[in-house]
Structures are given as C-alpha cells and as structure tokens.
Amino acid sequence: MKRVHYLYALSFLSAFLLFQIELVIAKIFLPRFGGSYLVWGSCIVFFQFALLLGYLYAHVAVRKCGIYRYRYLHLILVALPLLFFPGRALPEIAAHPGIPLVLDIFMQLALSIGMAFFVLSTISIVTQSWLAYSELPESGNPYMLYAVSNVGSFLGLLSYPFLFEVYFDLDVQVVIWRILYVLFIVAYILSLRAIRFPAACAPGGALSGGSGFREAFRMSGEGARRKLCWFLLSAAGCVLFLSVTNIVTYEIVPCPLLWVIPLCIYLASFTLTFRDRPFYPEWIGRQFHLVMGFSVLVYFFVQGRILPVMPGLIAFAVALFALCMFCQHELYESRPAEKDGLTGFYLIVSLGGFAGSMVVTWIIPRLFTSTVEFLLGLFLIGLSLALKEGFSRIGFYRLRLIAYVVILVIAWPMEFKQYNVFGVGIALIAFAYIFRDLAGHRTALALCLLAVFAIEPFVDNTWTADGKAIGTFRNYYGIYEIRASGHLLKFANGTTLHGLQYRTPDPEERAEPLAYYHRDTPVGKILGGGRFAMDRVAVVGLGVGTLSAYGKKGGQMDFFELDPDMPAFVGMFDYLALSKAKLNFYYDDARLALRKMPPSCYDVLVIDAFSGDSVPVHLLTTEAIGEYRARVKDNGLILFHISNRYIDLAPVIVSNARAVGAFALFASNTAQGSALLASDWAALTWNGKIRDTLTAQMQWQDRTADAELKPVRPWTDKYSNLPSVMKPRVLVNSLRDFQPFKW
C-alpha cells in the first residue's frame, strides 16, 4: 500500500463525514424548528461560515507552527470532539421562543455539531499541506487530494437519500456517524506514522513562523489581481449552483429530491479538475463564448416556460456543468506553484464560496423578484476574465453588439410566446455570432453580461405568457406571482398554482371557491355538504384563503401559515374578506402552533401544505398525525390535500394510518375547466360512523387494508424516504412528448 493512500483515506473520510452530518443534523432540526426553507437556508449559511473558519484556522496555524509541529497539535484538535459530540450523544434540540430563528439555529448548531464540523473542515487543507512538504513522490501536486475530498463529499451527498435515509432511522444514522468518526481518528494516527518529512520541515525549518492572515490577503500588483480572480471564480461557481437549485425549484419542477443535481455537478467539477490528470473538455475552453450565450438563452427560455420540464432540466445541467468546469479549470490553472501559497489559496476560495452563498440565500431574495442570481453568476465569470486580461476600451462596434443582445432579449418574447423551433434557432444563431465577437474582448463580454443582468427585472414580465403580472413578490420561501388571465386572478409560486378567483364586480361570484377547492371537490363536499359539524375548522396552509368561502356564520376558521409575508401577497384576493366565519391567523410552523391550541377543539383539520410539489415531510409523520388527533374531536376528521405531479403520497398516508390505528380514505375529482381543477384528497378518522358516512354516502374509498397499494414503511420524524414514492414517469414523459421541430 502506498503511503499516500493514507492521506487519500483521511481526505475522503473527512469530506464524507462533513456532508453526512450536514444532512443528518438538518433533518433533525426541520421538525423542531418548522420545515421551512428558512431552516435549511440558515443551516447552509452556518455550514459555509464554519467551513470558512476552519480554512482560516488551518491557514494561520500551519503558517505559524509549521506543518511538522502542527500535525501533532492537530491530533489534539481531532480528538477534542470526543469530549462533546460525537464522544457524547447529541444534546436535546428544541426551538427557544423569543430568540430569532436564525440566531437560535446558529447557536444550537454550534453547540451540537460545531466542534466536530470545525475539525472536519480543516482536514482538506491540512492533508494537502502535509503532502506538499512530505518526502512522497506525489508531493509535487497536493491539489489532487482536493479531488479525493470532493469525491468523499459527492458520495456523502448521494449515499444519504438513497442509502442511509432509506434503511436507517436518524438515531442509527447518528450512531453510524459516530463510529465513522472514530475510524477517522484512527486514519489520522496511521497517517502520522506513515508520512515522513525532510529535515527542512523540522521545527525551525521552512514552513514556520509565517505571518498567516496578512499574507493571504496582501493585495499588491499581479498577486492582487490573481487573488481577486480566485475570489470571483469561487463566488461565481457557488452562485451558479445555488441559483440553478432555485430555478429548478421555482421555474422547472419544485421537487426537493432534484436539488442534489446542481450540487452534484458542482462537486463533480472540482473532482474532475483537481487531480493528477485534470479532465477538461476542450470544447468548453475553445467555445466558451457559446457556453455563455447559450446559458443566457437557457435562463430566459426556462423562465418563460418555453421548454418543457425535462428539456429544461437537461439544458440547465449542461450549462451548469460547462460553467463550473470553466471556473474550476481557471482556479486550477492559476493556483500557486509555491507550497507556501496553498493554504492562502484555499482560504480565498472558501471566502468566495461563503460570499456567493450569502448573496444568493440572504441578499438577492430581498432585492429581486426573479431568479436573476444566475445572470449575476455569469457576470462574475465575465468580470474575472476581464480582470485577468486587463480592462481595455470597448469601442463602438462592440457597444453595438451589446445593444443587439439587449434588443433581442427585449423583443424575442414579443414575437414568440411559446416554443417555436424557428424562433429558438434565430436566438441561438444571433447569440452565437454576437458572443463569438465579444469573446475576443473580455471587457466587452463582462459589460454585455452586466447589461443583461441589469435589464432582467424590467423584461421579466414579458417572458411569461400566462397573463399579465399584477404583483410579484419574493422572500426566503419562494417567488409568488399574482396574474390576471382573462376572467381569472391567479396566485402561483413558480409552477405551482396556489389559488384562483373570479375577476368580477359581483361579490357572490368572487366568493365562489375555485381551483382545487370548488364545490365538487372532495373537500368542497365535506366543508359545504352539511353532513359534518363545522363549528371550528383548522386549515394548515393559507394560499389565497379559498377555503374560508365555506365558513359558516357563527363558526370559526383557524389558518396556520408558515410564511409571515403571505398577507401582503393575498391582499388582492378577497375570499377572506367575504367569508362569513370568524377567521384567526397563526404565522408559524403548523406543528409548533397547533401545540398551543386546546385539545379536541376542531371538527375538521385540513392539511393543505402538500398541494405544491415540495413536500414538508415533517407534517406527514406518525408523530405529526398524533398531534393532529389530539386537537380534533372524537367525531372529527383530518383531511390531506395530496395532489402532486411528481410524488405519490397515498402509500405513505395508508402506512401511517395503519401505524396509528386510523382509517385511511381517498377521493378525487376530475377537472371541469380552467377554473375548476382536478384534485386528490385523503382523510383520516378513528370514528367508524364517520368512515361509513364517507364510504357509503360520499363514495370515498377505504384503502386501509388495500393490498394492491405499494407498501412503504411508516414515516416518522426519524425516518422518511421520498425516492420510494417518486413518480419518475412524469419527468420521462415530458422528454418523450417534447417536439423539438414544432412550428
């Protein structure tokens, strides 16, 4: 066994553990803090911040102590988490009322996994420095360990949803992780014994006593330009992969399982580039001007829903792969040749990644109402190229080319409102010629990308054919649009419709429930049929407040909504104002808010958080159902809206019903036009009379003992398995039915 393989194992295992603990701890946090994107976003920012601190610490410590001494000092740091986690069990994790959510999550992440995460984040730099100053023949290229580290990250990411999450509860996942951490310590000790250093690296030798932090960020001359390019390229790669994640969520297919695709592409670009023999397709470098032009067009085509689901996903995956490969190739080619610069290089790259994640996660959603961060990522690449080449005068000819791009972006959707091979061909050919000429002048290319980024907010509405946008809002929960389309007012989050209302001066017509809630839907027949008591009804998920149309005079309806900005979005709809019932609103995660309600207070509890394709799993678990049952009367009913294009929740409902001893019943309706939509509903009850009423009088199907239904393991707060209930055929059909030569 080669001695360098010890460092391979150490780098791989540390990265694998790093990504695994991110996913495990996030899953533990979600039901305790509410299953919102804000929780996951807060976790992501914490991970990036902790990674930056780890890189900073490793850089300064190695520079100050020298790698020879630091190896042994670092062993103490590696063993230190044994005094906390994973040496001890995870502390109890629970939300603290009165503390801002982001601050609470940061604090509890630091107290629970902070030390272990910090230690693991330092290993990539340490092992590369270790190799660079060793006597090993591979010491000439320590960056190959970065590729090994990214393979570990890649497998840690993919193995979780398809292996660990499928076969192990959270408690078992934590135990496995703790065992692997002990193996990681063993690998570190074995590496200490196996790797030898020349005399120059002994105490007082070469790498000892540097100024650390100041040297890494010293900005002067050519070095300053190169370091700024490192920062921009790293930030661009992070911005691009996060922006594509957002685009997949908002514009293409809001299915969380597909979020791993952009991250896998991002990690794969590092793995393929930072290795002994870097893989870099020549066409990316030779035709990079076409990559940039193609990426701009793909962004606008997807935003305008010009492409179906699968072609859009494929186009973005190809664009992201080429862009990330270019960024990592540029980083690799400009990496410092001297050993002393290795830790500073990674520190600046880490800082760029942290800055990119902060911009996409926290800043852009407050400033823009579209996924414009993708164009920002393209501009950052263009800016880095201009900086590398040196800024120069653009000239009238290239200014004219930039004007052509702007005109085409503005005019194309006015002529082509849907996919048309002729229109797409015109755009591709025009952009190919324009970006070919811009490629020879990097300053002009950067200015062109800046111009496209600047005009996007003003042309965003013209690229959507589905009616006129009356209002567009964006926050940490998504992008919401209110559109006027004929006689209807529509409210949507990306491709998911959340509500409709008639546009008419007649208040009785405006009060008529539409979309998935009209009077012929299963929920409409229950809430408006008069067979069940409706003194007090709870609804999880506000939407546009359509279900309030079923409110009775003297009755109450409690709405539980996670997004506190929702009232500002739905103010243009007046279902709530026209309702006859007394309405109460609680802006919090439903499980957290329902715990504060008195027991047995609701006649019907409607869980309408599944109508979108992003499933808040923590609202569907057996523990959640137990909490719902405690708030519903003995003769009450729990309804689940399970309409979903990509996930079949019926097997989960049945398995969970069996686990809690409930009857599981299902009903659907077909669409009756553009305003009266099809929907699927499930009901849980523990009351035999209610069950008989639903089956005998309302044609609901009792599937509690349905042997034909695909069996799945009951979902709990510690176990869920989304891949097992996916409907991949929908995505495949999107590609099969695509007609590329449609006129």
Side-chain angles (χ1 to χ4, degrees), residues 269-484:
S269 67
F270 280 106
T271 303
L272 295 172
T273 304
F274 285 77
R275 46 185 282 182
D276 265 340
R277 297 177 181 177
F279 172 78
Y280 183 65
E282 290 186 7
W283 64 267
I284 296 179
R286 189 174 59 251
Q287 305 291 341
F288 191 66
H289 60 284
L290 295 181
V291 172
M292 297 293 269
F294 171 79
S295 300
V296 172
L297 284 179
V298 167
Y299 171 81
F300 282 105
F301 286 162
V302 168
Q303 186 186 41
R305 318 265 160 77
I306 304 298
L307 299 174
V309 172
M310 277 303 290
L313 276 174
I314 293 171
F316 254 117
V318 171
L320 181 63
F321 174 76
L323 293 167
C324 286
M325 286 295 294
F326 181 83
C327 289
Q328 309 336 330
H329 176 74
E330 289 289 310
L331 284 172
Y332 185 78
E333 289 296 308
S334 63
R335 72 195 187 281
E338 64 280 2
K339 299 174 182 179
D340 289 5
L342 184 146
T343 55
F345 169 73
Y346 282 116
L347 179 59
I348 294 175
V349 168
S350 174
L351 182 62
F354 173 70
S357 67
M358 283 292 294
V359 167
V360 174
T361 306
W362 297 104
I363 298 176
I364 291 289
R366 287 299 186 189
L367 299 179
F368 297 95
T369 58
S370 63
T371 50
V372 70
E373 56 265 29
F374 181 79
L375 298 179
L376 175 62
L378 295 180
F379 167 66
L380 292 178
I381 295 178
L383 182 61
S384 71
L385 293 176
L387 189 66
K388 178 182 176 181
E389 183 184 75
F391 295 106
S392 57
R393 292 192 54 168
I394 295 176
F396 179 73
Y397 170 68
R398 289 188 174 86
L399 285 175
R400 195 171 62 191
L401 292 178
I402 296 171
Y404 291 157
V405 170
V406 172
I407 292 171
L408 189 59
V409 168
I410 295 173
W412 195 94
M414 297 179 181
E415 182 65 26
F416 304 100
K417 288 294 185 182
Q418 58 187 2
Y419 179 83
N420 179 292
V421 66
F422 179 70
V424 170
I426 289 176
L428 288 172
I429 293 171
F431 268 53
Y433 277 101
I434 293 172
F435 276 82
R436 182 195 63 183
D437 287 353
L438 291 176
H441 197 290
R442 301 298 175 82
T443 303
L445 178 62
L447 183 60
C448 179
L449 295 170
L450 178 61
V452 173
F453 171 73
I455 67 168
E456 194 278 345
F458 302 100
V459 302
D460 173 47
N461 191 44
T462 64
W463 278 86
T464 303
D466 188 22
K468 179 183 177 182
I470 296 176
T472 305
F473 311 89
R474 183 176 180 180
N475 62 8
Y476 302 127
Y477 298 92
I479 299 175
Y480 301 94
E481 291 183 329
I482 298 175
R483 293 191 170 271

Side-chain angles (χ1 to χ4, degrees), residues 401 410 487 511 546 550 582 661-662 718:
L401 292 178
I410 295 173
H487 63 293
T546 310
Y550 293 104
K582 178 185 177 183
K718 295 183 178 180

Side-chain angles (χ1 to χ4, degrees), residues 110-131:
L111 293 175
S112 57
I113 65 163
M115 178 58 70
F117 194 93
F118 176 79
V119 169
L120 291 169
S121 69
T122 66
I123 298 299
S124 179
I125 286 185
V126 170
T127 53
Q128 290 180 67
S129 298
W130 204 334
L131 178 59

Side-chain angles (χ1 to χ4, degrees), residues 19 48 146 150 154 233-242 260-271 320-321 324-325 327-328 331 349 352-353:
F19 264 74
Q48 291 275 9
Y146 194 47
N150 280 287
F154 189 84
L233 288 167
S234 176
C238 193
V239 166
L240 287 168
F241 108 74
L242 287 173
V260 301
I261 293 177
L263 183 53
C264 286
I265 293 173
Y266 178 68
L267 293 174
S269 67
F270 280 106
T271 303
L320 181 63
F321 174 76
C324 286
M325 286 295 294
C327 289
Q328 309 336 330
L331 284 172
V349 168

Side-chain angles (χ1 to χ4, degrees), residues 552-730:
K552 307 295 183 183
K553 189 173 183 180
Q556 287 191 62
M557 296 190 78
D558 295 346
F559 286 90
F560 298 88
E561 174 57 48
L562 186 62
D563 188 349
D565 293 329
M566 191 64 77
F569 306 155
V570 301
M572 298 180 187
F573 297 81
D574 51 7
Y575 280 119
L576 301 176
L578 296 173
S579 178
K580 299 176 182 178
K582 178 185 177 183
L583 306 181
N584 305 306
F585 303 93
Y586 303 91
Y587 295 99
D588 199 352
D589 176 73
R591 286 181 63 176
L592 300 179
L594 279 168
R595 290 169 191 164
K596 303 172 185 176
M597 297 293 113
S600 302
C601 61
Y602 294 117
D603 297 293
V604 177
L605 172 59
V606 182
I607 311 297
D608 187 28
F610 305 106
S611 56
D613 297 294
S614 179
V615 176
V617 170
H618 77 295
L619 296 181
L620 193 59
T621 62
T622 54
E623 292 91 341
I625 293 173
E627 294 175 9
Y628 304 153
R629 184 184 184 185
R631 300 296 177 268
V632 173
K633 298 175 182 177
D634 292 338
N635 61 344
L637 192 62
I638 304 173
L639 297 177
F640 293 89
H641 186 189
I642 59 171
S643 303
N644 201 296
R645 287 169 289 182
Y646 307 104
I647 297 172
D648 181 12
L649 292 174
V652 180
I653 296 286
V654 171
S655 296
N656 286 7
R658 292 169 182 166
V660 299
F663 297 107
L665 305 104
F666 296 84
S668 303
N669 69 281
T670 57
Q672 300 176 26
S674 60
L676 309 180
L677 306 181
S679 63
D680 302 310
W681 292 83
L684 292 187
T685 181
W686 288 261
N687 189 303
K689 292 182 179 180
I690 298 293
R691 179 252 184 203
D692 293 340
T693 299
L694 289 173
T695 55
Q697 300 180 30
M698 304 182 70
Q699 287 73 55
W700 284 63
Q701 288 184 304
D702 184 354
R703 305 187 69 182
T704 310
D706 190 347
E708 296 182 2
L709 202 64
K710 180 176 67 174
V712 299
R713 179 179 168 184
W715 287 11
T716 68
D717 285 347
K718 295 183 178 180
Y719 173 83
S720 59
N721 182 10
L722 271 175
S724 68
V725 292
M726 285 287 292
K727 296 189 283 189
R729 184 176 298 178
V730 178

